[in-house]
Amino acid sequence: GFVVGHAGLYQALAMFAVAYFIIGMTVLSVCAIATNGALDAGGAYYMISRALGPEFGGSIGIMFFLANVCGSALYVLGLVEAVVDSFGIPPGQEAGSGVHVLPQSYWYELLYGTVLLALCLLVCLVGASIYAKATFLIFLIVAVVLGSILVSFFATRPLKVPIRLPNINGTETDNGFFTGFSLETLRDNLGGRYEVDYTTGQMMSFSSVFAVMFNGCTGIMAGSNMSGDLKRPSYSIPRGTISAVLFTYLVYNLLAFLMCATCNRILLQKDYGFLRDISIFPPLVTVGIYAATLSAAMSNLIGASRILYALARDDLFGRALSLAKKTSASGNPVMAVILSWLMVQIVLFSGKLNTIASVVTIFFLLVYATVNLACLALEWASAPNFRPTFRYFTWHTCLLGIAGCCVMMFLISPVSASASLGFLLLLLLALHYLSPSSTWGYISQALIFHQVRKYLLMLDVRKDHVKFWRPQMLLMVQNPRGSARLIDFVNDLKKSGLYVLGHVELQDLDMLPSDPLQPQQDSWLSLVDKLNVKAFVSLTLAPSVRHGVRQLLFTSGLGGMRPNTLVLGFYDDEAPQDGLARHPAFTSAREEVPLGFPPLRAPTTPKLLSAREYVGIVADALKMLRNVLLARQLESLDKAWELRRAASPPPTIHVWPVNLLRPDSARYADTCSLFLLQMACVLNMARAWRRARLRLFLCVEAGTMPHAQEEKLRQLLKDLRIQAQIQLVPWDAITHLHWQTCQRSPGGPAEEEEEEEGVVNFPTNTTQVSDEYVCAANKLVLEQSPAPAVRFLYLPRPPADTSLYPLYLHQLELLTRGLGPTVLVHGVSAVTSTQL
């Protein structure tokens, strides 16, 4: 009567259609999730948490708990209004007469609500079995009452109904009319005519009336809330819920039409208990109203207790809800029931039904939207194990349900809807950072997999362009204990590209009972988490390190995301240092799982890799057109100290883009030099290194117009948008040593001048560079002050003659000896662009 009286028949039918459209879409989602596996206590909370993960489940569980608490209070207040309307002393009278003996005031009505809520508490404390029997009995009573009401519309003759309304001066009497079936009455009630609600004194509108009406439709979750107490929830929930929705929708529409055709507007708006006045047996209607509202209040109370119990049992909120875990000998969560009752009692202080109706509606709409979201996520994830036996849903129905809920939330009350979403977001963030990890499975992982697979297929390597090149690193790690700072350094070099930590285990699978790499995977993943690097882990078995690196270069990555740069630690005789135990990520924590890696090799223990094999790995990578970086003494790089020290000038990055081992063909604009410049610039672009300054060293000889060379290099840097300071370094004395060596040896560099750029470095140059020259070049680099945080040097190509590999490695060792953190770089692909 309240809905039809204010909104009229057309708008009432529209409200029912909108409400049941939202509910219908949600019911399809509930049925799909309920038939996809075993359900436990918690209803919608259990469905959402197991589908979307603990963050969404826990936050929506709290919202659903509050919705049921407020819903229970709302129905208790509705029952109080009905009781006071039947037995209350009329306003303006000091003493009652007949059955009108109950005083009316805020505190008296609060007392009546407390007594009625205590009755609900007693039923719920006994357990679910007595509640089920009570609700079945109430269902029979309501069915009989509904039948009598339908008969009354046809059997009752037209009559005048006196209505007493509260007024400032006491009471005011008005007359409503039951006209019987009348076309004139129907026409008068077709349109909306919103008036002041006589119980609250507030002006009604479409949204406020819809909010009150929608609470009569929220019982669809009553069955799912009892999922832990049902014998066959996957069977009972779909059938019971769909039947209830269809039945109530038909009854609401039929009652709306009958009321509009028989009752005038005053009766509908001013007397919400008019059905009792027109009934053929008024006491029966009173009993029906009491029974229906009492059943709804108990349903919400027991639903809230089951949700609270499920939340407590899942330990998402730690000790805060530990009290709610306690159950009786029969398994009834008595403490959860008592806590829920206490919350409902607090809400009863709001005083009037229509005051909290909008809040309850928004809470329920938010829960319904999330149920639809859970089903939508499961459907979109396309997981093979999502096989609900209920198939009458699609992602379209889920999306329509979400849209309908969100629109109606903001139409009812934009402020309350925004506040509810803000509260939900706070709960999400709190649970994300504070709750323990669960074993339920995260739908986010399934959705990420689905989307990543789709986009990887769209990532076409044939469409790669140098403008969008980014480093994609494969860092080979023998033991993370000695490579913690190198792992962190390469993470700064990747520039949002792919980063893979590779490791080769020297074993033969044919001789082993099982794969030895699987137990190690968790330790490596824990290492990645603790070091806070964005890297994948790729482990392999191989008879030798060289074969293992080849495997990883061939197989690491997927589609268009494959490593284009190989990073190796330097091969020298220095004893490895355990930097992992001293790393800040581990010194502040007691967790020992990532430190489960084997101890480092003792200085006297032979290496797993020979010098010849090490250089062979570099040669293999270059043959596969992979760029190569060799990192020396990166474990001595204290990045935090280098970048945060208060001393001026700021830390520097030294860049030597000339091949110091080939002074007779020194070029600054070949592919390798440009790649070296790019890597130094990428490091400088990383957030932690932005304070550092690039310093580029231009080696010049007398009589070669150094200023012209400097201007040419400066123009190149400008074209490449690289900010760096250029410093001229005379190296006549160094090159003089080289020419002396060349004159003493047969053949000379002139014979190689016509060779192509890709092979200018070797094969014969290795033998023509003396140790004296290399040591002089090392001294030249070392003398440039102030000492930088890190140096980038040109890495020459290994010689074609494999017998010269040890000599090649010896020269690299001499060149970088004592330089501190140094990266030797050799690039094989164009990586810079001057185009837009």
Side-chain angles (χ1 to χ4, degrees):
F2 168 80
V3 175
V4 175
H6 287 283
L9 180 61
Y10 290 153
Q11 291 188 35
L13 294 180
M15 287 182 185
F16 293 141
V18 171
Y20 275 87
F21 173 79
I22 294 171
I23 289 168
M25 299 300 102
T26 306
V27 164
L28 297 181
S29 299
V30 168
C31 294
I33 299 175
T35 59
N36 189 52
L39 279 178
D40 206 341
Y45 158 71
Y46 187 86
M47 298 178 193
I48 295 168
S49 62
R50 269 51 178 184
L52 298 183
E55 295 96 343
F56 253 107
S59 53
I60 287 297
I62 289 293
M63 301 294 284
F64 198 25
F65 167 73
L66 294 176
N68 277 275
V69 164
C70 294
S72 181
L74 181 139
Y75 289 120
V76 170
L77 291 173
L79 181 55
V80 169
E81 285 187 12
V83 170
V84 169
D85 194 44
S86 301
F87 302 105
I89 299 174
Q93 297 183 15
E94 294 184 1
S97 59
V99 296
H100 299 283
V101 294
L102 297 179
Q104 292 191 51
S105 70
Y106 170 81
W107 292 107
Y108 274 113
E109 290 178 7
L110 178 62
L111 175 64
Y112 306 150
T114 302
V115 172
L116 293 171
L117 183 60
L119 178 62
C120 297
L121 173 65
L122 289 176
V123 174
C124 295
L125 283 176
V126 174
S129 58
I130 190 68
Y131 164 75
K133 293 174 183 176
T135 51
F136 181 71
L137 177 62
I138 289 172
F139 169 74
L140 295 179
I141 295 173
V142 171
V144 172
V145 172
L146 181 61
S148 73
I149 290 173
L150 294 176
V151 170
S152 298
F153 281 111
F154 296 92
T156 303
R157 296 180 179 278
L159 55 88
K160 180 173 70 173
V161 181
I163 304 170
R164 290 184 176 181
L165 299 174
N167 197 337
I168 299 175
N169 301 320
T171 58
E172 174 185 342
T173 303
D174 203 347
N175 292 316
F177 292 92
F178 175 78
T179 63
F181 286 95
S182 167
L183 187 60
E184 182 182 351
T185 303
L186 178 63
R187 286 174 178 169
D188 185 56
N189 289 329
L190 289 179
R193 193 183 302 162
Y194 295 100
E195 300 287 346
V196 174
D197 173 28
Y198 72 87
T199 63
T200 62
Q202 296 177 355
M203 186 66 184
M204 292 293 99
S205 63
F206 181 91
S207 59
S208 58
V209 172
F210 180 86
V212 175
M213 182 276 300
F214 191 81
N215 287 286
C217 313
T218 55
I220 63 164
M221 288 295 185
S224 62
N225 288 344
M226 297 291 294
S227 56
D229 301 297
L230 299 173
K231 290 183 179 179
R232 297 170 61 193
S234 297
Y235 175 86
S236 304
I237 288 176
R239 286 162 178 78
T241 306
I242 292 175
S243 301
V245 168
L246 293 176
F247 179 75
T248 54
Y249 180 65
L250 292 174
V251 169
Y252 282 160
N253 279 276
L254 178 60
L255 286 175
F257 175 77
L258 292 175
M259 290 175 185
C260 283
T262 59
C263 303
N264 76 337
R265 182 81 67 169
I266 293 176
L267 182 63
L268 294 174
Q269 287 185 343
K270 306 298 184 183
D271 185 7
Y272 298 154
F274 72 94
L275 288 177
R276 182 176 54 252
D277 300 322
I278 67 171
S279 174
I280 54 175
F281 188 59
L284 190 61
V285 176
T286 302
V287 172
I289 293 173
Y290 295 170
T293 50
L294 193 64
S295 171
M298 282 193 298
S299 170
N300 282 99
L301 179 60
I302 201 166
S305 68
R306 294 310 188 263
I307 295 166
L308 185 62
Y309 173 65
L311 283 166
R313 197 176 59 177
D314 286 338
D315 277 328
L316 294 182
F317 294 89
R319 295 181 181 178
L321 298 180
S322 58
L323 190 63
K325 293 182 185 178
K326 299 185 186 237
T327 61
S328 64
S330 60
N332 185 32
V334 289
M335 289 308 301
V337 172
I338 292 173
L339 290 173
S340 301
W341 163 79
L342 187 61
M343 291 292 293
V344 176
Q345 183 64 55
I346 293 172
V347 178
L348 285 181
F349 282 94
S350 62
K352 290 294 181 181
L353 181 150
N354 292 355
T355 306
I356 60 173
S358 61
V359 177
V360 178
T361 300
I362 286 172
F363 277 3
F364 274 110
L365 283 170
L366 196 56
V367 173
Y368 294 167
T370 315
V371 171
N372 284 301
L373 177 63
C375 190
L376 178 68
L378 289 169
E379 178 70 8
W380 274 357
S382 301
N385 284 323
F386 182 59
R387 297 190 297 270
T389 55
F390 182 87
R391 296 300 305 165
Y392 302 103
F393 78 99
T394 66
W395 65 269
H396 303 86
T397 61
C398 302
L399 209 57
L400 287 171
I402 295 171
C405 290
C406 294
V407 169
M408 291 313 303
M409 278 171 55
F410 283 94
L411 280 179
I412 291 170
S413 174
V415 176
S416 298
S418 301
S420 300
L421 288 173
F423 181 55
L424 176 65
L425 184 60
L426 285 176
L427 286 172
L428 272 171
L429 293 174
L431 285 171
H432 178 73
Y433 289 107
L434 301 178
S435 69
S437 59
S438 71
T439 57
W440 306 338
Y442 293 79
I443 190 64
S444 58
Q445 296 298 304
L447 289 171
I448 290 170
F449 176 88
H450 185 267
Q451 292 301 107
V452 167
R453 180 194 63 84
K454 182 171 72 174
Y455 286 117
L456 273 176
L457 290 171
M458 296 170 62
L459 191 60
D460 192 345
V461 293
R462 295 168 295 183
K463 298 179 181 178
D464 283 348
H465 193 279
V466 66
K467 288 191 299 184
F468 308 112
W469 178 91
R470 66 182 70 240
Q472 307 201 76
M473 304 294 198
L474 171 61
L475 170 62
M476 298 306 304
V477 180
Q478 195 271 323
N479 190 333
R481 286 184 177 275
S483 308
R485 287 180 174 172
L486 176 58
I487 293 171
D488 185 57
F489 178 78
V490 178
N491 185 62
D492 292 333
L493 269 179
K494 71 180 187 307
K495 186 56 181 174
S496 303
L498 178 67
Y499 183 17
V500 180
L501 298 181
H503 174 70
V504 180
E505 194 77 16
L506 298 182
Q507 296 190 56
D508 187 356
L509 192 59
D510 291 338
M511 309 299 293
L512 299 170
S514 62
D515 181 7
L517 299 179
Q518 291 301 323
Q520 298 182 28
Q521 193 78 20
D522 286 345
S523 292
W524 282 87
L525 293 176
S526 298
L527 173 77
V528 168
D529 292 339
K530 295 293 281 182
L531 293 180
N532 195 27
V533 295
K534 297 176 181 178
F536 298 95
V537 174
S538 187
L539 312 179
T540 188
L541 284 177
S544 70
V545 176
R546 186 173 182 181
H547 281 86
V549 176
R550 283 180 185 171
Q551 290 176 21
L552 293 177
L553 283 172
F554 278 126
T555 61
S556 292
L558 196 63
M561 292 188 67
R562 293 185 179 277
N564 56 28
T565 304
L566 174 67
V567 186
L568 301 171
F570 196 78
Y571 190 94
D572 54 27
D573 295 325
E574 292 185 14
Q577 300 293 323
D578 191 346
L580 198 61
R582 301 191 305 270
H583 195 279
F586 297 96
T587 54
S588 59
R590 297 182 179 179
E591 299 180 33
E592 296 295 329
V593 176
L595 296 178
F597 294 106
L600 289 170
R601 173 184 61 84
T604 56
T605 306
K607 299 179 180 179
L608 300 176
L609 185 66
S610 67
R612 190 182 298 272
E613 190 178 6
Y614 176 83
V615 180
I617 292 173
V618 176
D620 290 343
L622 295 178
K623 289 176 184 177
M624 296 179 192
L625 298 181
R626 304 296 202 277
N627 310 299
V628 176
L629 273 62
L630 304 183
R632 185 171 191 185
Q633 295 187 356
L634 260 297
E635 287 306 302
S636 66
L637 173 63
D638 189 346
K639 185 175 73 173
W641 183 83
E642 287 284 355
L643 301 179
R644 294 174 187 170
R645 58 183 178 177
S648 185
T652 57
I653 300 171
H654 285 190
V655 183
W656 296 79
V658 66
N659 183 358
L660 294 173
L661 295 184
R662 184 62 187 266
D664 50 332
S665 62
R667 303 178 186 178
Y668 288 94
D670 64 6
T671 300
C672 186
S673 297
L674 292 176
F675 180 80
L676 188 150
L677 277 173
Q678 181 81 324
M679 294 310 299
C681 181
V682 166
L683 180 65
N684 195 208
M685 293 169 71
R687 178 175 297 180
W689 290 86
R690 285 178 184 169
R691 186 170 170 268
R693 297 291 180 263
L694 288 182
R695 179 173 293 176
L696 193 60
F697 293 92
L698 177 61
C699 298
V700 295
E701 297 181 60
T704 57
M705 295 186 295
H707 293 292
Q709 295 183 37
E710 180 184 5
E711 189 58 35
K712 184 178 179 181
L713 182 58
R714 196 178 303 279
Q715 184 61 41
L716 174 65
L717 294 176
K718 182 179 179 181
D719 292 341
L720 297 176
R721 289 90 61 205
I722 297 175
Q723 294 183 354
Q725 175 189 351
I726 298 176
Q727 182 170 331
L728 300 181
V729 180
W731 70 331
D732 297 79
I734 312 299
T735 56
H736 180 68
L737 291 173
H738 175 66
W739 296 121
Q740 284 181 340
T741 304
C742 292
Q743 290 170 4
R744 290 197 298 266
S745 63
E751 299 176 10
E752 302 172 30
E753 289 295 331
E754 301 300 323
E755 294 184 16
E756 296 179 0
E757 178 185 311
V759 294
V760 293
N761 301 324
F762 289 98
T764 59
N765 190 63
T766 301
T767 59
Q768 295 176 354
V769 176
S770 66
D771 287 357
E772 184 184 9
Y773 164 77
V774 178
C775 290
N778 169 265
K779 184 179 179 182
L780 177 70
V781 174
L782 193 59
E783 287 175 346
Q784 307 306 315
S785 60
V790 65
R791 290 180 172 91
F792 283 85
L793 302 184
Y794 190 115
L795 173 67
R797 181 182 288 268
D801 185 354
T802 57
S803 65
L804 297 177
Y805 281 1
L807 178 58
Y808 167 80
L809 188 58
H810 172 68
Q811 291 176 352
L812 294 181
E813 196 280 328
L814 286 178
L815 180 64
T816 57
R817 182 179 294 175
L819 294 185
T822 304
V823 182
L824 292 161
V825 181
H826 190 96
V828 296
S829 55
V831 296
T832 56
S833 172
T834 58
Q835 301 175 2
L836 285 178

